């Protein structure tokens, strides 16, 4: 069986987001939204050198802050959207901005401020994930001190639906002025959701992203607006979910988390992207890994051995459009 070697994106590529471009290629960008990479098979990636932002959009962002984090791709209403987190001085003032383009590679223009944590009273209002279900547009967002929140968006995905108040669905919470719980067990961030086996699965990361304590965990709910629980039946609001992907001090690959999207291969297997530290890189760098996400008899997802793998088997994708040159 042919194999591939992790990391699949051998560069500092944290908080990866990946989307099918519909042209035979998948596209990825990452913190701090510098360029776009592409791949025909999810395994072999090339740097395009393309700046996803128009000059005016980049000026608009840098005029607000130089702390630009955790982008997330979406395609809604025929438009390509990148949601991006902005850190404005403290955990009190974080925002999520929508950038829109007619093409997956951009240029993306500034479109709207979707989330303003300061106005909403939500700490660390970052790390967005936006998707559609049943004709509705949903955003899950939030990190650490504020917890993970759910909000329904307008049909164009550029604002919170009028009358909708974000609801905390996972992770611990503390008020502004209280000691930060950043990096503590149960302080979640980096939401990603998939629907499988009649459940919605909410993947989140916890621990300190700079070291080996960072890990990935999961809860599930029958409905998007229901209660997410861990394997033991505990509410995700309690922050008790156990790691499904983690590391210990001294390992070559450590601190796996902030998962990107899940894609399904031709044989039905699921594959998840995430970033991790790798001792072959600088300590500050987090390249992107790709690993098979498996399912047990009770329909809970897991990773073989609970560890990031250096080598994985190659897989084929379902038939798609031929790559364009």
């Amino acid at each position: 069986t042919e194999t591939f070697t992790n990391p699949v994106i051998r560069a500092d590529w944290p908080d990866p987001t990946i989307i099918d471009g519909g042209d035979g290629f998948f596209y990825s960008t990452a913190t701090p939204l510098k360029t776009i990479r592409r791949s025909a098979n999810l395994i072999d990636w090339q740097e395009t050198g393309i700046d996803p932002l128009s000059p005016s959009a980049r000026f608009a962002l840098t005029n607000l802050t130089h702390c630009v984090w955790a982008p997330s791709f979406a395609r809604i209403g025929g438009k390509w959207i990148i949601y991006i987190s902005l850190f404005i001085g403290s955990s009190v003032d974080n925002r999520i901005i929508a950038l829109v383009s007619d093409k997956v590679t951009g240029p993306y223009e500034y479109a709207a401020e979707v989330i303003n944590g300061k106005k909403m009273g939500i700490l660390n209002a970052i790390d967005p994930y936006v998707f559609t279900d049943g004709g509705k547009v949903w955003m899950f967002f939030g990190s650490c001190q504020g917890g993970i929140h759910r909000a329904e968006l307008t049909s164009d995905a550029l604002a919170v639906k009028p009358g909708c108040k974000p609801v905390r669905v996972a992770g611990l919470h503390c008020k502004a002025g209280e000691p930060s719980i950043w990096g503590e067990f149960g302080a979640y961030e980096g939401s990603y959701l998939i629907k499988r086996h009649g459940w919605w699965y909410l993947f989140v990361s916890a621990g300190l992203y700079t070291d080996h304590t960072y890990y990935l965990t999961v809860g599930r709910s029958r409905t998007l607006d229901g209660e997410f629980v861990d394997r033991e039946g505990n509410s995700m609001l309690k922050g008790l979910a156990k790691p499904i992907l983690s590391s210990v001090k001294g390992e070559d690959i450590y601190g796996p988390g902030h998962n990107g999207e899940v894609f399904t291969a031709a044989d039905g297997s699921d594959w998840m992207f995430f970033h991790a530290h790798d001792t072959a890189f600088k300590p500050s760098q987090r390249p992107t890994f790709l690993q098979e996400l498996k399912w047990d008899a009770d329909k809970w997802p897991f990773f073989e051995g609970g560890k990031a793998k250096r080598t994985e088997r190659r897989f084929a994708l379902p038939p798609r459009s031929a790559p364009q040159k």
Side-chain angles (χ1 to χ4, degrees):
T1 301
E2 292 187 7
T3 61
F4 67 87
T5 301
N6 270 314
V8 289
I9 299 182
R10 300 189 60 80
D12 187 26
W13 205 253
D15 311 330
T17 180
I18 297 93
I19 196 166
D20 188 341
D23 59 355
F25 287 105
F26 296 90
Y27 294 86
S28 179
T29 190
T31 297
L33 201 60
K34 286 184 177 180
T35 60
I36 289 177
R37 290 177 181 253
R38 75 176 189 177
S39 171
N41 59 8
L42 294 175
I43 296 170
D44 305 298
W45 290 85
Q46 64 181 132
E47 172 63 77
T48 68
I50 296 172
D51 184 342
L53 300 185
S54 70
S56 61
R58 191 161 292 283
F59 176 79
L61 293 191
T62 55
N63 195 44
L64 289 169
T65 180
H66 290 286
C67 297
V68 179
W69 294 336
S72 183
F73 270 124
R75 191 178 189 190
I76 297 172
K79 295 286 187 180
W80 300 93
I81 305 176
I82 294 178
Y83 296 91
I84 190 71
S85 308
L86 305 182
F87 182 83
I88 316 291
S90 74
S91 62
V92 174
D93 191 1
N94 294 169
R95 306 174 194 180
I96 296 173
I97 303 299
L99 305 145
V100 176
S101 174
D102 292 326
K103 298 195 305 180
V104 65
T105 54
Y108 287 80
E109 300 288 351
Y110 182 99
E113 179 183 88
V114 184
I115 298 292
N116 186 311
K118 188 173 184 180
K119 291 180 180 179
M120 293 177 172
I122 299 174
L123 299 178
N124 293 116
I126 60 174
D127 294 356
Y129 178 63
V130 176
F131 59 101
T132 59
D133 178 67
K136 295 183 178 181
V137 184
W138 297 94
M139 174 185 282
F140 279 63
F141 70 96
S143 175
C144 295
Q145 286 173 283
I148 306 297
H149 287 71
R150 178 194 71 241
E152 185 179 350
L153 303 186
T154 52
S155 59
D156 63 4
L158 299 181
V160 174
K161 187 176 180 179
C164 172
K165 183 179 180 180
V167 177
R168 187 167 65 92
V169 297
L172 303 180
H173 172 266
C174 70
K175 298 178 181 178
E178 292 180 347
S180 173
I181 58 173
W182 191 287
E184 292 187 10
F185 189 91
Y188 297 146
E189 63 179 4
S191 307
Y192 176 71
L193 292 98
I194 57 171
K195 191 174 186 179
R196 293 284 193 280
H197 317 298
W199 294 89
W200 281 98
Y201 293 86
L202 171 60
F203 294 88
V204 291
S205 299
L208 190 61
Y209 68 92
T210 57
D211 63 28
H212 68 279
T213 64
Y214 206 55
Y215 65 89
L216 185 66
T217 190
V218 65
R220 69 185 184 185
S221 171
R222 286 294 187 185
T223 61
L224 279 172
D225 57 358
E227 181 184 28
F228 285 86
V229 299
D230 67 11
R231 183 183 286 270
E232 282 71 40
N234 299 303
S235 171
M236 289 288 280
L237 290 168
K238 297 180 180 179
L240 299 176
K242 296 178 181 178
I244 62 171
L245 187 67
S246 62
S247 63
V248 297
K249 192 173 183 178
E251 291 182 333
D252 289 343
I253 303 171
Y254 63 95
H258 202 111
N259 50 290
E261 288 74 6
V262 171
F263 294 92
T264 302
D267 63 3
S269 59
D270 287 322
W271 297 79
M272 177 180 278
F273 288 90
F274 58 90
H275 73 220
H277 294 274
D278 187 330
T279 53
F281 293 75
K282 295 178 180 179
S284 61
Q285 295 180 330
R286 289 163 290 168
T288 292
F289 289 67
L290 177 62
Q291 190 162 324
E292 185 175 358
L293 181 70
K294 298 186 176 183
W295 301 88
D296 67 16
D298 296 321
K299 307 306 181 186
W300 281 98
F302 70 98
F303 291 93
E304 185 176 4
K307 301 288 184 180
K309 296 177 68 176
R310 180 69 71 187
T311 303
E312 270 281 22
R313 65 180 178 90
R314 282 189 172 262
F315 55 89
L317 291 171
R320 303 168 60 244
S321 301
Q324 300 175 358
K325 295 182 179 180

